[in-house]
Amino acid sequence: MSDNALSRRDVMKYGVLASAALAVPLERVVRAKTASDPIAVSKFPKPFTVPFTVPPVAVPTKRSSTTDYYTVSMHSATTEILPGLQTETWSYDGTFGGPTIRATRGRPAVVRQLNNLPKVHPRLGYEAWTSVHLHGSGSLPQYDGYASDIIRPGEYKDYHYPNDQDARTLWYHDHGVHHTAENAYMGLAAMYTLHDELEQSLPIPQGRYDVPLIIRDAMFDRNGQLLYDDEGHSDLFGDMILVNGRPWPVMEVERRKYRFRILNAAVSRGFRFALSTGDPFVFIGTDGGLMQRPQSATSYRHGMAERYEVIIDFAKYPIGQRVVLRNLGVDNVVDFDLTGNVMAFDVVGEPTDLSGNTIPDELNPNAPAMDLTEAMAKRTRTFEFNRTNSQWTVNGKTWADVVASDYEYVWADPGLGDVEIWEFVNSSGGWWHPVHVHLVDFKVLDRNGRAPSAWEIGSKDTVYLAENETMRVAIRFGPHTGRYMIHCHNLVHEDHDMMAQFRVGPPSDEHHPIFADPAKPQPGPVLGGDDDTV
């Protein structure tokens, strides 16, 4: 452990974690249905009438010769999501669905996250601690958004991001132990895009033709406030689809190719996307960045936390045509009258710029993880995702077992640089799990012995583990040693308590995920001082 890190005794003495990350796994906050009635469907905005918007781009508070510095405030804000109604949201810098952080490979970033949320959630009654996970980043353990590494209201934490991976679509979201679902549902989720020379050199859509789509569902009461009901710690499904914080928006497009970075930011809802015209999506990127070669499909299944970069070519449509992005639905998800609609694209004119309007036959021949083979694996491990005694478990254990072991217990202990095959098993016909492995990219080998779907032929960090399904992935572990998480990204399952951890390399506290660099009281020193390094 570093010399300036707090010891466990110091942390307990000052109460930083005494009532939160250590004790809370033994308690359960009651999450009953909100007393207010849901808003009537007749009060919904008509689909495809609300204008589409793109989240704002974050501006660094300081740029040194090597590093970008950002300061982001997590706080309550009033947002007009439904026309004419004001909704309390919890957001990064007051933006529901943003701000997007744009990073460049080889240029590290330090993001100071200030927890300025109310001390207690106004309707659900829990203490509003947070932990920020940059999903898809190969960060050191203490900056990875470990669930029990919490930031309490009035505290801050500086997250150091190396930005040394291939270009990709990442996202940052809450990961606070046992309240991830509520915090993310309230709005603590935003994109983080990493760019590099290869991606920027390709003739694919760039700039204003490179568009983020943060898609999720929600339910509101008659006063416009978000309703939270996880159906007995099972799932949370809303009756309204939001894209970048807008209900069923309509986007005006030109007759040319657009690149869409599609993130499923829902708590529990999976989607099967399709275009109303029946035309294919062309996939150019997955969680881990650009694919080796483009793939195509007319519909595809998209689990929570997965990111897919797709190109839609509007050149084939006449001016005046509307193309609708549909949701065909997946098994074991509750659908409502209008959840089959997502958003619309209205073709309004000829292209004003034809640069970046090509899909090359080869994108990234050296895509991370795609060179892995079964023959490289040192061992195979199995992870079973089950509901046991009313808890969501991994191999029969939960995050409470990690806490009880003083954060030492691990489900796996690969060595640095080792290649392993991990087998994910879901023997249930009643639910499915999006499985996320922190730190690494991996290659999907097969599902129930069958080849992966076209859209999964790329580096992944999250996979859709369907009902009664066994799937295998190949992983090379690195670039860091230390403890990292694996969990279900149905955030209700995660909170109750389908989280596990693995350790890369031998036991060590050098980069302890909680104690190496814990949150500190605000206001803190000036960000970007002489000793701020990554």
Side-chain angles (χ1 to χ4, degrees), residues 348-370:
V348 297
E350 298 296 339
T352 56
D353 184 350
L354 282 173
S355 62
N357 195 40
T358 303
I359 306 174
D361 293 334
E362 186 175 78
L363 295 163
N364 184 5
N366 300 310
M370 296 310 291

Side-chain angles (χ1 to χ4, degrees), residues 442-447 452 456 458 460 463 471-474:
F442 53 74
K443 177 182 179 179
V444 178
L445 296 175
D446 53 58
R447 294 173 172 275
E456 296 177 311
K460 297 281 292 167
V463 285
M471 64 181 307
R472 299 186 310 143
V473 302

Side-chain angles (χ1 to χ4, degrees), residues 367-437:
M370 296 310 291
D371 62 342
L372 299 179
T373 66
E374 292 189 52
M376 296 177 181
K378 296 186 68 171
R379 63 183 58 82
T380 296
R381 303 182 195 264
T382 300
F383 299 82
E384 296 187 14
F385 292 79
N386 290 313
R387 189 171 174 89
T388 305
N389 297 324
S390 299
Q391 283 193 309
W392 301 101
T393 67
V394 182
N395 288 352
K397 294 184 179 294
T398 71
W399 195 248
D401 294 289
V402 175
V403 176
S405 72
D406 199 17
Y407 304 97
E408 297 294 332
Y409 181 79
V410 296
W411 278 247
D413 56 352
L416 181 63
D418 284 358
V419 176
E420 296 189 356
I421 294 174
W422 281 15
E423 186 177 72
F424 303 139
V425 179
N426 176 11
S427 58
S428 165
W431 51 79
W432 59 275
H433 307 288
V435 177
H436 174 42
V437 185

Side-chain angles (χ1 to χ4, degrees), residues 181-240:
E182 298 101 319
N183 290 348
Y185 186 70
M186 289 289 290
L188 291 175
M191 274 197 179
Y192 186 114
T193 58
L194 179 59
H195 304 270
D196 65 14
E197 290 183 1
L198 171 63
E199 179 229 6
Q200 295 293 293
S201 71
L202 292 174
I204 56 178
Q206 312 272 3
R208 62 192 171 100
Y209 303 109
D210 178 357
V211 183
L213 302 182
I214 304 174
I215 303 176
R216 54 164 291 184
D217 57 351
M219 185 173 288
F220 298 85
D221 69 15
R222 63 177 60 182
N223 297 314
Q225 301 309 307
L226 286 162
L227 280 170
Y228 186 94
D229 176 17
D230 67 11
E231 297 291 345
H233 311 325
S234 178
D235 301 284
L236 188 154
F237 300 116
D239 54 8
M240 191 174 298

Side-chain angles (χ1 to χ4, degrees), residues 479-526:
H480 306 300
T481 59
R483 280 159 278 193
Y484 290 90
M485 300 183 66
I486 172 175
H487 61 86
C488 176
H489 224 288
N490 180 325
L491 300 182
V492 175
H493 298 182
E494 175 183 329
D495 282 343
H496 294 281
D497 213 13
M498 195 174 259
M499 298 189 292
Q501 73 172 347
F502 63 97
R503 186 188 66 243
V504 180
S508 172
D509 277 348
E510 181 182 4
H511 296 293
H512 195 286
I514 296 177
F515 301 106
D517 193 359
K520 302 173 180 66
Q522 295 186 35
V526 174

Side-chain angles (χ1 to χ4, degrees), residues 124-147:
L124 300 177
Y126 64 87
E127 184 182 354
W129 61 66
T130 64
S131 177
V132 182
H133 174 48
L134 179 54
H135 187 129
S137 174
S139 305
L140 286 168
Q142 65 268 39
Y143 305 122
D144 188 52
Y146 192 79

Side-chain angles (χ1 to χ4, degrees), residues 261-312:
R261 300 173 185 261
I262 306 179
L263 161 66
N264 179 354
V267 169
S268 301
R269 181 178 296 280
F271 296 92
R272 181 175 289 277
F273 292 121
L275 296 175
S276 58
T277 59
D279 290 312
F281 303 98
V282 178
F283 299 87
I284 64 168
T286 52
D287 305 335
L290 293 171
M291 305 167 87
Q292 293 174 309
R293 289 168 292 279
Q295 306 291 329
S296 65
T298 54
S299 69
Y300 78 100
R301 190 173 60 183
H302 197 143
M304 292 82 78
E306 292 184 297
R307 289 89 65 211
Y308 290 105
E309 296 184 31
V310 306
I311 290 181
I312 301 176

